[in-house]
Amino acid sequence: MKITGIAFRGFNVTPKTNWSFLEVTTEDGRTGLGECTLANHEPLMAAEVSRIAANLQGEDARDRNRIARYLPHAPGGLVTATAISALDQALCDLAAQRNGEPLHRLLGGAFSDSVRLYANINRGANPRTPEGFAAAATRAVAEGFAGVKLAPFEPMVWEDGRTAANRAAYAEGLSRIAAVRAAIGPDVDLMVDAHWRFSPGGAAQLIRDLSADNLFWLECPVAEANHAEIVRLRGLANARGMRLAGAESLSGLAAYRPLVEAGCYDVLMPDAKHAGGLGEIQRIAALAQTAGVEIAPHNPTGPVCHAHSVHLCATIPNFLVLEVQYGETEAFFDIVQGESLRFVDGAALLPKAPGLGITLNPGAFPAWKRMDRPWLDPRLG
């Protein structure tokens, strides 16, 4: 199982979206696959993957605990953490392939044969009017999703002040939320992603203004470092029947420990692309479980992260629900081959083939391109 190559693969899949993947090949002819999508950071990611490849040529892919742990100490921040997370994904894929078992078995075995999903409709809403969001939500519910999420407040950012433009963006956001709730009815879970756009005072007002919309959760209202205010906002949200969710871009167990100990969130959202590996998310989930905190992994990007997340979520006892980007592009299904990733009544069926269960489709896809204002820019929602 000696590593013979590690390669970066980047694809442009919509005018605003690139997906990036990492492939690890071994001397026995196997290929393991991970996802390292980080919007507008593709040149840095390609360079980081090259650095990793130079360090790991000839290493035994079975030693994933060791080789996926010493590299994060190099500088690089979220770029390095994302590359390492993809490396761990790929090594887990290889190990499960070699064992002849699906990846969830390598992770300890599944609690169920399917994983509940919710539809992130943010990129599938066109036009981005209240009516456009409502139509996207209606399509998702018609396909069996029991929960939908939107990020409705672009281009508002609290640091820009209480300007006429910000007030209009806030009012439009509330109108989008109300339109979606009216379209899906009272029984479908509704989540709102605030993308850190609010000050603590503004977030408190937002929670009060959303009381009538029966939110399942409010996500990322303020900067993650503001623990004391997040705890206060959680109390306000809980008093109105909604959860508070967040922590989607942190890396490593140590980054999550203060959030759990402070009681910041009802729901933690570690991302398989950033958190440091599949095993690291299992450790984060175990820590969260001791405090009664639920896990709903962040998963708004490509099909490889999605496939890894499905295997992972099936093994987590305090798993709540998994995000999927709904209605953005058919490339989500076409860019890979193997087991079907098609959603079934708002759920993902657990793959049964050895390893991850999918590989990249050998067909040609457009190479990634620089995007100065991609979807994941917080100012664009």
Side-chain angles (χ1 to χ4, degrees), residues 277-339:
L278 304 182
E280 192 75 346
I281 293 180
Q282 288 185 312
R283 288 183 282 274
I284 292 165
L287 175 64
Q289 188 179 10
T290 66
V293 174
E294 296 166 303
I295 299 294
H298 186 245
N299 180 42
T301 46
V304 174
C305 181
H306 174 69
H308 277 286
S309 297
V310 169
H311 282 283
L312 173 65
C313 289
T315 72
I316 294 175
N318 50 330
F319 164 70
L320 179 61
V321 65
L322 176 64
E323 177 177 22
V324 68
Q325 194 63 246
Y326 173 79
E328 181 183 18
T329 171
E330 280 293 301
F332 187 91
F333 307 106
D334 297 339
I335 205 169
V336 293
Q337 62 182 7
E339 295 214 18

Side-chain angles (χ1 to χ4, degrees), residues 73-319:
H73 297 297
L78 190 58
V79 171
T80 296
T82 302
I84 294 299
S85 297
L87 172 65
D88 179 83
Q89 294 168 34
L91 295 177
C92 287
D93 182 12
L94 284 168
Q97 288 181 42
R98 187 173 184 273
N99 291 350
E101 62 186 10
L103 179 54
H104 58 85
R105 286 263 170 79
L106 183 78
L107 298 175
F111 287 100
S112 65
D113 293 329
S114 65
V115 168
R116 180 175 178 251
L117 306 173
Y118 70 89
N120 182 334
I121 63 171
N122 204 49
R123 300 179 205 172
N126 186 22
R128 299 184 68 74
T129 60
E131 295 77 15
F133 276 93
T138 300
R139 291 192 294 271
V141 172
E143 291 193 22
F145 287 93
V148 298
K149 183 172 82 175
L150 68 159
F153 290 109
E154 80 266 5
M156 191 193 111
V157 179
W158 74 268
E159 292 96 333
D160 290 346
R162 191 167 171 76
T163 62
N166 260 357
R167 290 197 299 272
Y170 182 69
E172 178 73 359
L174 294 180
S175 295
R176 290 165 171 169
I177 295 166
V180 169
R181 172 51 81 196
I184 64 178
D187 298 326
V188 175
D189 293 337
L190 176 59
M191 298 85 150
V192 169
D193 189 348
H195 272 165
W196 314 280
R197 294 179 184 276
F198 291 85
S199 67
Q205 181 63 55
L206 173 64
I207 289 169
R208 289 190 288 270
D209 288 343
L210 293 177
S211 295
D213 293 305
N214 186 27
L215 258 59
F216 187 73
W217 77 49
L218 175 64
E219 180 178 331
C220 296
V222 298
E224 300 284 4
N226 204 345
H227 293 177
E229 288 298 334
I230 293 172
V231 171
R232 182 177 71 88
L233 293 169
R234 180 186 180 186
L236 293 175
N238 289 173
R240 290 161 176 81
M242 69 182 81
R243 293 167 169 85
L244 200 69
E248 67 188 45
S249 59
L250 302 183
S251 302
L253 180 63
Y256 283 87
R257 178 182 172 185
L259 298 178
V260 173
E261 292 182 342
C264 289
Y265 290 115
D266 300 285
V267 182
L268 292 177
M269 306 182 72
D271 190 316
K273 297 185 304 298
H274 309 313
L278 304 182
E280 192 75 346
I281 293 180
Q282 288 185 312
R283 288 183 282 274
I284 292 165
L287 175 64
Q289 188 179 10
T290 66
V293 174
E294 296 166 303
I295 299 294
H298 186 245
N299 180 42
T301 46
V304 174
C305 181
H306 174 69
H308 277 286
S309 297
V310 169
H311 282 283
L312 173 65
C313 289
T315 72
I316 294 175
N318 50 330
F319 164 70

